[in-house]
Amino acid sequence: MAYRETAQVKARKAAQRDHLLATAESLVREGGFTAMTMQAVAERAGVGVGTLYRYFDNKATLAAAVFEAATAREVAAVDQALGRDGAAAERLERALRVFARRALAAPRLAWALIAEPVEPEVDAARLRYRAAYADLYKRVLDDGVARGELPPQSTALGAAALVGAIAEALVGPLSAPLADAGLPDQLTAFALRAVGADTGGRA
């Protein structure tokens, strides 16, 4: 008779995986993906390296899992900030400020997620999440154009351009010892002008 895991065993394994993932992310927050070696994760988590390999086949698999977990939180924060109600410019401004402030609050992690040279598995995840961000921005741009709040434009192109511009604008400040505290204001003002929003002096 085939062995079937009990609910308790499944829960224990899930908790262990979450613990290993959180431990790996803590290393990325401190030193980027370079610092996240399998040995370092195992030592900090208090497990043997063999245990870590039972959950993640290699460093690339673990790095991709860390990236996806961390980036999913950021995408969710932007989605919540954009909301569904209100003027397009206000929603976009709110989301851009949230994204920039969260990045500046954890600069090493943000730089690792946005720009650090990584394994192909993480690069593939980056492309998927860039598309996820673009979909969110396109939604609000579509709303703005439909309501006459924004000028007619290719919202798909505009959304993709916003994702690229935001990432590029943050790379330098995030890698510097002290990030520019005025960056959220500057980034927001640029983005709103780029999509033709009437800022009304807000940004």
Side-chain angles (χ1 to χ4, degrees):
M1 182 176 179
Y3 169 73
R4 292 185 179 180
E5 291 184 339
T6 65
Q8 185 177 10
V9 170
K10 289 180 179 179
R12 186 172 68 248
K13 286 186 174 181
Q16 177 72 295
R17 186 182 187 279
D18 289 345
H19 171 60
L20 295 172
L21 202 56
T23 301
E25 183 178 320
S26 72
L27 287 166
V28 176
R29 285 178 175 273
E30 295 170 9
F33 285 106
T34 300
M36 193 212 72
T37 66
M38 299 297 273
Q39 183 67 38
V41 174
E43 288 180 359
R44 180 169 292 189
V47 302
V49 175
T51 297
L52 181 58
Y53 276 106
R54 284 203 293 272
Y55 289 87
F56 302 97
D57 292 339
N58 48 48
K59 179 184 176 181
T61 302
L62 176 56
V66 170
F67 177 91
E68 293 193 8
T71 305
R73 292 196 303 269
E74 302 309 311
V75 171
V78 168
D79 188 17
Q80 182 178 12
L82 282 172
R84 299 295 189 279
D85 302 317
E90 294 174 355
R91 293 162 63 195
L92 187 58
E93 177 182 357
R94 190 166 58 238
L96 290 169
R97 289 186 184 280
V98 164
F99 183 86
R101 286 170 180 160
R102 287 175 67 91
L104 294 177
R108 195 64 188 81
L109 175 63
W111 186 83
L113 298 178
I114 293 171
E116 183 178 357
V118 288
E119 290 83 356
E121 290 86 344
V122 180
D123 264 337
R126 262 190 193 142
L127 291 177
R128 291 195 299 273
Y129 278 96
R130 284 173 71 92
Y133 280 120
D135 286 345
L136 293 178
Y137 292 133
K138 182 178 183 299
R139 184 184 75 206
V140 74
L141 294 180
D142 284 339
D143 288 349
V145 171
R147 297 172 183 172
E149 299 167 359
L150 299 176
Q153 58 189 281
S154 169
T155 56
L157 178 61
L162 282 178
V163 173
I166 293 165
E168 190 64 28
L170 285 171
V171 167
L174 289 174
S175 62
L178 293 175
D180 183 0
L183 184 60
D185 291 338
Q186 298 169 32
L187 185 59
T188 299
F190 168 81
L192 293 179
R193 288 196 299 268
V195 299
D198 179 5
T199 63
R202 290 191 313 278

